[in-house]
Amino acid sequence: MKKMYKKHPVVVILTSIISIMIIGIVVLSTVLPKGNSSKTKDYSLYTVKAQADDIFKGSVIAKTSTDYRDDAALGELSQVNVSDGQEVKAGDVLLTYTKPTDDLSSQEFAIKGAENDLANAQADLAEAEKKDVKLRNDFNKSKDDSERQAINAQIETNHESWKAAQRAITTSVLARDQAKAALDGQKAKQTATVTAKTDGFVIMGNKSETSPLLSVVSRDTLVNGKVSEYDYDKLKVNDVVTVETIDLAKKITGKITYISPVPEKASSETAASQYAFKVNLDEHLQNGYTVQIHKKNETLYIPKSAVKNGKVYLKNGKKFDRVAVETKETTSGLQVISGLKIGDKLIKEASDYVDTP
């Protein structure tokens, strides 16, 4: 060693220093604690979990359903213009009513009188035209001036008759058309029709006082749900929900479009108030299906013991970070307002954790 030192003193010194450092590190690693890594395994952790969906009962109904009842004010029902299951469009005639027939003879007599007057005027016109032709032929054949003057006077007189016949024809045509219009108007008043207000298909009823004659039901459907007074505040218009059939065969999305501000009539005094709400569906569901309406529950809860001085100890790799959280006490536990998300892991008993400087 002495010979090595004499030949290479620097190498010997560096080698000795490195050896001493290695020995020191080994000793320290066995004596000193391993810091936060030892702490993580000593504490019970709580994982922030998603809550179960809020579930509400519902049924699939038609978007629109309009009842049509017998209306005596329109007259006597004379015809049902549609059949059960028939597809109809808005404006199609569904029912025809006829009022008691008034006396239409006066209008009919006026028409016949005008038509007779017209026929007579046309005959007079034809006679005047025929006479005019004869008189003009006689005028052309005559050589006597006095005779020609007499014939010419007859032609002028006949021409006045011809004009009178023309006026009579015009008057008769006008009288006839007015009488016909009056008759048509009178007949129109005898008939009333009921038309469909919406598109859909016809469901026939009966003529009882409590049932409609028929209903027009739309093929488009929506979900009619029920929510109790205890869960009323969990729903908002425009909330996205999932609608699932009872047999779990179909699951589709939808959006809440209406929540009734007024409860339905309770079946008993002790029953909780129930409120109706409606869900527009993104896909078609068969009218009449019973469904469950799932509303995602985004509320997070943590144990009260996990909070210390308004903060939690959030696991971050092999160490814990102190994270401020906003919470609210509820009957279901300590509700998280802000500061945490699903999947976060934190010390369940925060009071057991010793903060390091």
Side-chain angles (χ1 to χ4, degrees), residues 187-207:
K187 287 181 176 180
K189 292 179 181 179
Q190 306 306 118
T191 303
T193 58
V194 176
T195 58
K197 297 178 181 178
T198 59
D199 297 351
F201 60 94
V202 176
I203 302 296
M204 298 303 299
N206 52 57
K207 293 185 178 181

Side-chain angles (χ1 to χ4, degrees), residues 34 50 93-94 165 168 176 212 232 284 296 324 331:
K34 295 182 180 179
V93 176
L94 304 175
R176 180 199 62 187
Y232 186 83
H284 178 75
K296 188 175 181 181
T331 55

Side-chain angles (χ1 to χ4, degrees), residues 7 17 94 111-112 133 136 144 181 228 264 266 269 290:
K7 290 182 180 181
I17 293 173
L94 304 175
I111 292 173
K112 289 180 179 179
V133 172
R136 290 183 185 280
D144 184 67
S228 74
E264 297 181 339
E269 293 183 0
T290 300

Side-chain angles (χ1 to χ4, degrees), residues 115-129 165-166 168-169 172-173 176:
E115 288 176 341
N116 287 334
D117 291 343
L118 176 61
N120 291 332
Q122 289 171 336
D124 290 343
L125 180 65
E127 180 64 27
E129 290 175 344
Q166 283 281 22
I169 288 174
S172 299
V173 169
R176 180 199 62 187

Side-chain angles (χ1 to χ4, degrees), residues 86-349:
Q86 179 178 335
E87 196 86 23
V88 296
K89 298 290 185 182
D92 287 352
V93 176
L94 304 175
L95 305 168
T96 300
Y97 290 86
T98 302
K99 292 182 179 180
T101 303
D102 293 335
D103 184 11
L104 304 179
S105 60
S106 59
Q107 285 84 2
E108 293 172 346
F109 180 80
I111 292 173
K112 289 180 179 179
E115 288 176 341
N116 287 334
D117 291 343
L118 176 61
N120 291 332
Q122 289 171 336
D124 290 343
L125 180 65
E127 180 64 27
E129 290 175 344
K130 181 179 178 181
K131 187 175 182 179
D132 183 74
V133 172
K134 182 179 180 305
L135 289 172
R136 290 183 185 280
N137 286 333
D138 291 344
F139 181 85
N140 293 330
K141 292 177 181 180
S142 177
K143 302 297 183 180
D144 184 67
D145 288 340
S146 60
E147 184 179 7
R148 287 168 68 91
Q149 288 179 359
I151 293 173
N152 190 58
Q154 292 179 32
I155 290 174
E156 291 179 357
T157 301
N158 185 67
H159 183 66
E160 292 299 324
S161 298
W162 179 86
K163 289 194 293 186
Q166 283 281 22
R167 289 192 295 269
I169 288 174
T170 302
T171 302
S172 299
V173 169
L174 179 61
R176 180 199 62 187
D177 291 346
Q178 288 177 339
K180 284 184 175 181
L183 179 62
D184 291 342
Q186 190 67 28
K187 287 181 176 180
K189 292 179 181 179
Q190 306 306 118
T191 303
T193 58
V194 176
T195 58
K197 297 178 181 178
T198 59
D199 297 351
F201 60 94
V202 176
I203 302 296
M204 298 303 299
N206 52 57
K207 293 185 178 181
S208 70
E209 294 182 357
T210 57
S211 299
L213 289 173
L214 58 87
S215 301
V216 175
V217 181
S218 68
R219 293 208 176 269
D220 291 334
T221 56
L222 55 79
V223 171
N224 188 30
K226 295 288 188 297
V227 57
S228 74
E229 60 186 283
Y230 306 115
D231 296 324
Y232 186 83
D233 291 336
K234 292 182 179 180
L235 300 181
K236 297 291 185 294
V237 172
N238 292 325
D239 279 350
V240 175
V241 296
T242 301
V243 177
E244 188 175 35
T245 55
I246 293 299
D247 60 3
L248 307 181
K250 198 165 187 180
K251 181 185 291 187
I252 62 177
T253 56
K255 182 181 289 186
I256 296 176
T257 57
Y258 170 79
I259 304 173
S260 174
V262 180
E264 297 181 339
K265 187 175 181 181
S267 57
S268 68
E269 293 183 0
T270 57
S273 295
Q274 298 288 322
Y275 296 80
F277 67 94
K278 298 186 184 302
V279 178
N280 267 4
L281 300 170
D282 294 334
E283 298 177 38
H284 178 75
L285 270 181
Q286 178 60 43
N287 192 338
Y289 276 11
T290 300
V291 295
Q292 289 184 337
I293 305 164
H294 293 253
K295 167 74 167 52
K296 188 175 181 181
N297 188 346
E298 297 179 348
T299 306
L300 303 180
Y301 295 96
I302 59 175
K304 293 182 181 180
S305 59
V307 180
K308 180 179 179 181
N309 298 326
K311 293 181 173 61
V312 297
Y313 295 96
L314 184 65
K315 191 174 186 301
N316 182 9
K318 293 185 178 181
K319 63 186 184 70
F320 292 102
D321 295 334
R322 295 178 65 194
V323 175
V325 292
E326 183 182 358
T327 59
K328 179 178 71 174
E329 286 196 30
T330 69
T331 55
S332 301
L334 200 61
Q335 181 181 339
V336 177
I337 306 301
S338 64
L340 294 173
K341 65 182 183 301
I342 295 173
D344 284 345
K345 297 180 183 296
L346 48 112
I347 294 177
K348 190 172 184 178
E349 300 293 337

